[in-house]
Amino acid sequence: MAAILWWLLPSELFGGFGGVPSYEGKTAEQWLSEVIGTNSQPALQAFQAMGPKALPFLVREIGRKDGAWQKWYERAYFKSPGWLRKRLSPPSEIPVAIAWLSAEIVLVRNPAARKTLPALARLLNDPGLGSHTYIALAISCLAREGDTSYVRNLAKGLRDRDPQVRQYVAGALERIGPSAKAAIPALKAGLNDPSPDARMEIAWALWDVDQETKLCRDAILSALKSGMSHPLDQMAIFHLLEMDPKDMALVGLLLGRMEGEPESLQRWDCGVLQEIGPPAKAAVPLLIKLAQKGSPNLRKEALRALKSIDPETAAKYEHP
C-alpha cells in the first residue's frame, strides 16, 4: 500500500526526485553532465543563472548512491505508464562518480551554495555514501568564520575512515575558527589520528578554535616526526613558528633531517632557522658545513641563517 501511495504522490512533494530546474532548454542534470569537459564554462554559468533553485538538485546529486534502490527505480520508471513517467524525474544517466565530482565543482563555484552547508554536513554522516571526499572538500571551501549551524554534524566527519576527509573537515573547522567550540571534543580526540597529515590539520584546527598550544604543538611535532607529505610538512613548520617563534624542539627536528634532504628543502630549512634566530645556536655547526660545501645557492641561504643566529661566526665564512 505504501508503494502505491508513493506512486500517486506529486513529484514536487517527494524531494528526492521532483523539481529539477532547467536553463535555456536544458535540465540541471543535462548541464551537470557537461561540467567536466569542453562545455564546462557554459555549464557553470547555467548553474549560476539557476541560482538557489539548483541547490536541492546539487545536494541530491552529491548524495547519490549507486545501489539497489537506484537500480530498482530505473527498472520501475521504464515499466511505468506514460502518464506516471510525466510526474517523475527520469533516472540519472550520469555515472555516479561523475555526478559527485561535478556537483562538488558547481557547489564550490556557486555564490549561493553556502545555504547547503547544513545539508552537506548531514550527508557527511551517512556511512553508505561514497562521496564523502567530495562533500568534505565542498564544505571546506564553503565554510566561513563564525558558522555554527552545522558544526556538530561536521565534527563527526573527524571519525571518517578516509584520512583525506578528516583533513578537509579539520580545514573547514579551522576556517570557522573560535565559533566551532562544539567541535573541541572531537578535535582533541583527533590529536591521535593515525595519519600524520590529518593529525597536523586537526591539531592546527584545534589551536585556531581554542588555542590549546601545548597539546597542538606536541601533535604537530609528532606528525612531522612520523613523516608528513610535502608540502604539508612545511605548513606544519609555519604553524609551529606561529605558536612559538623560538621553539627549540623545532630546531632539533630540523637538524635531524637537514643533512639527508634534497638541496631545495635544505635551503627552505635554512630560511626557517634564520627566522628562529639566536635560539637556534645548535644549528651553527651544520650551517658552517653547508656554507663551506654547499652549492652557491645553498651557501647563500646557510650564510643568511648564520648571520641571524651568530653574526660573528657568519663573518668568518663570507668572502670579500
Side-chain angles (χ1 to χ4, degrees), residues 203 207 212-222 240 243-244 247-250:
W207 192 82
E212 289 272 1
T213 302
K214 185 180 186 310
L215 281 175
C216 299
R217 169 189 172 275
D218 291 350
I220 293 176
L221 280 170
S222 76
L240 288 171
M243 290 178 183
D244 181 0
D247 193 331
M248 295 308 298
L250 179 55

Side-chain angles (χ1 to χ4, degrees), residues 107-115 117 137-151 154 171-180 208:
L107 285 167
V108 168
R109 300 192 187 190
N110 191 324
R114 293 194 65 248
K115 297 177 181 178
L117 282 167
L137 176 56
I139 294 173
S140 181
C141 293
L142 294 169
R144 293 291 181 271
E145 184 177 355
D147 289 352
T148 57
S149 62
Y150 57 93
V151 165
L154 177 61
L173 292 167
E174 177 197 338
R175 295 188 72 171
I176 294 168
S179 298
D208 207 54

Side-chain angles (χ1 to χ4, degrees), residues 234-302:
Q234 295 179 335
M235 187 183 297
I237 289 170
F238 277 128
H239 291 335
L240 288 171
L241 287 174
E242 186 168 344
M243 290 178 183
D244 181 0
K246 310 301 179 186
D247 193 331
M248 295 308 298
L250 179 55
V251 175
L253 187 145
L254 292 173
L255 292 179
R257 74 182 199 172
M258 278 183 73
E259 288 200 75
E261 287 181 325
E263 184 180 308
S264 60
L265 292 179
Q266 287 179 324
R267 293 201 307 267
W268 194 87
D269 285 346
C270 284
V272 176
L273 292 169
Q274 178 184 348
E275 187 73 21
I276 294 172
K281 280 276 190 184
V284 167
L286 176 58
L287 291 171
I288 290 172
K289 180 180 177 180
L290 296 177
Q292 289 177 316
K293 298 182 178 180
S295 70
N297 286 334
L298 180 55
R299 181 178 179 278
K300 186 187 299 183
E301 294 299 328

Side-chain angles (χ1 to χ4, degrees), residues 43-197:
L44 290 170
Q45 290 168 5
F47 278 104
Q48 286 190 353
M50 285 184 273
K53 291 188 297 183
L55 296 180
F57 165 78
L58 292 168
V59 171
R60 292 200 299 270
E61 288 300 295
I62 207 170
R64 269 180 56 191
K65 296 181 183 179
D66 196 12
W69 168 257
Q70 285 69 32
K71 293 174 182 176
W72 176 87
Y73 179 75
E74 184 174 349
R75 290 194 303 270
Y77 177 85
F78 289 110
K79 290 180 180 178
S80 302
W83 65 267
L84 192 51
R85 287 203 298 270
K86 291 178 181 178
R87 297 167 60 85
L88 301 170
S89 295
S92 177
E93 296 180 2
I94 309 173
V96 67
I98 299 297
W100 294 339
L101 175 59
S102 300
E104 177 254 306
I105 291 170
V106 175
L107 285 167
V108 168
R109 300 192 187 190
N110 191 324
R114 293 194 65 248
K115 297 177 181 178
T116 68
L117 282 167
L120 292 176
R122 288 193 296 272
L123 284 178
L124 196 59
N125 293 299
D126 184 341
L129 273 180
S131 55
H132 284 192
T133 306
Y134 303 100
I135 294 168
L137 176 56
I139 294 173
S140 181
C141 293
L142 294 169
R144 293 291 181 271
E145 184 177 355
D147 289 352
T148 57
S149 62
Y150 57 93
V151 165
R152 290 186 186 279
N153 277 326
L154 177 61
K156 294 175 185 176
L158 293 172
R159 301 194 300 266
D160 197 275
R161 62 179 178 270
D162 184 345
Q164 185 69 69
V165 171
R166 302 195 298 270
Q167 281 180 243
Y168 288 145
V169 169
L173 292 167
E174 177 197 338
R175 295 188 72 171
I176 294 168
S179 298
K181 298 288 186 189
I184 289 174
L187 287 166
K188 286 185 175 180
L191 293 178
N192 295 314
D193 195 289
S195 162
D197 290 358

